[in-house]
Amino acid sequence: MAGSARPDLVTMLGSVPLFSSLTTRQRKAIADSGKERSYAAGASIVKLGDKGVGFYLVLEGKAAVRKENRSIASLGPGQFFGEMALFDEQPRTADVVAEGPTRCLVLSSWEFWGALSKEPEVLRSLMQEMVRRLRAPVPTLTE
Ligand code: CMP
């Protein structure tokens, strides 16, 4: 509903690179439509192989992306995950686990596509980050 967005969340979204091209009004719409979810340390946020229904933006804490017993990325405030399964409507490609107490803003697939289709710069920014992750060397440490 217009006007119900939490001002601190709208301000925080202003500092997120993915949403830097959006107007305050568009950020308010995202803050309004997304749901905030909190996770205890060690909680599973996304499970490898599950159907993907949400896109996650880390607001606080850290989320570890894990694949084949390896931690392949650690995502902090302003970083996102869960976009891949929404893009191709295929199962989740990795586990994502809260490293400590973690808070995320969760957008439904419908809200995610809405944000991307309204603003091509958001799509470009998301693709840039996906390509950066693709280029990153695979960690060799097993945890
Ligand atoms: P999805 O496949 O929907 O769910 C698991 C998520 O982990 C995935 O989307 C990405 O957001 C994230 N992910 C998968 N592989 C990597 C990677 N190599 N680096 C960072 N994040 C990743």
Side-chain angles (χ1 to χ4, degrees):
M1 196 202 304
S4 67
R6 296 131 289 183
D8 51 340
L9 179 55
V10 179
T11 306
M12 195 277 179
L13 292 182
S15 66
V16 170
L18 181 64
F19 295 134
S20 63
S21 60
L22 296 182
T23 62
T24 305
R25 194 191 178 88
Q26 287 170 316
R27 278 183 217 130
K28 274 187 184 151
I30 289 178
D32 266 345
S33 58
K35 308 269 177 293
E36 284 186 54
R37 294 274 179 264
S38 296
Y39 303 91
S44 165
I45 307 177
V46 154
K47 273 205 166 79
L48 174 78
D50 275 3
K51 180 176 158 53
V53 288
F55 169 83
Y56 296 75
L57 177 74
V58 180
L59 299 176
E60 263 176 14
K62 264 190 180 167
V65 181
R66 300 185 67 87
K67 223 172 182 176
E68 293 167 8
N69 269 338
R70 281 180 186 170
S71 184
I72 53 175
S74 178
L75 306 173
Q79 293 185 293
F80 64 82
F81 58 92
E83 77 293 350
M84 293 176 71
L86 299 189
F87 263 115
D88 64 0
E89 298 183 338
Q90 293 295 309
R92 295 293 193 193
T93 59
D95 286 300
V96 184
V97 176
E99 286 186 43
T102 301
R103 202 159 54 88
C104 295
L105 183 71
V106 189
L107 299 184
S108 68
S109 166
W110 189 78
E111 291 154 356
F112 170 75
W113 285 115
L116 292 190
S117 57
K118 275 185 209 123
E119 184 45 72
E121 267 306 310
V122 177
L123 180 59
R124 183 165 189 262
S125 172
L126 188 115
M127 298 302 297
Q128 273 181 341
E129 174 59 13
M130 287 176 75
V131 171
R132 190 194 66 74
R133 291 178 186 180
L134 202 58
R135 287 182 188 275
V138 178
T140 49
L141 279 181
T142 306
E143 289 175 10

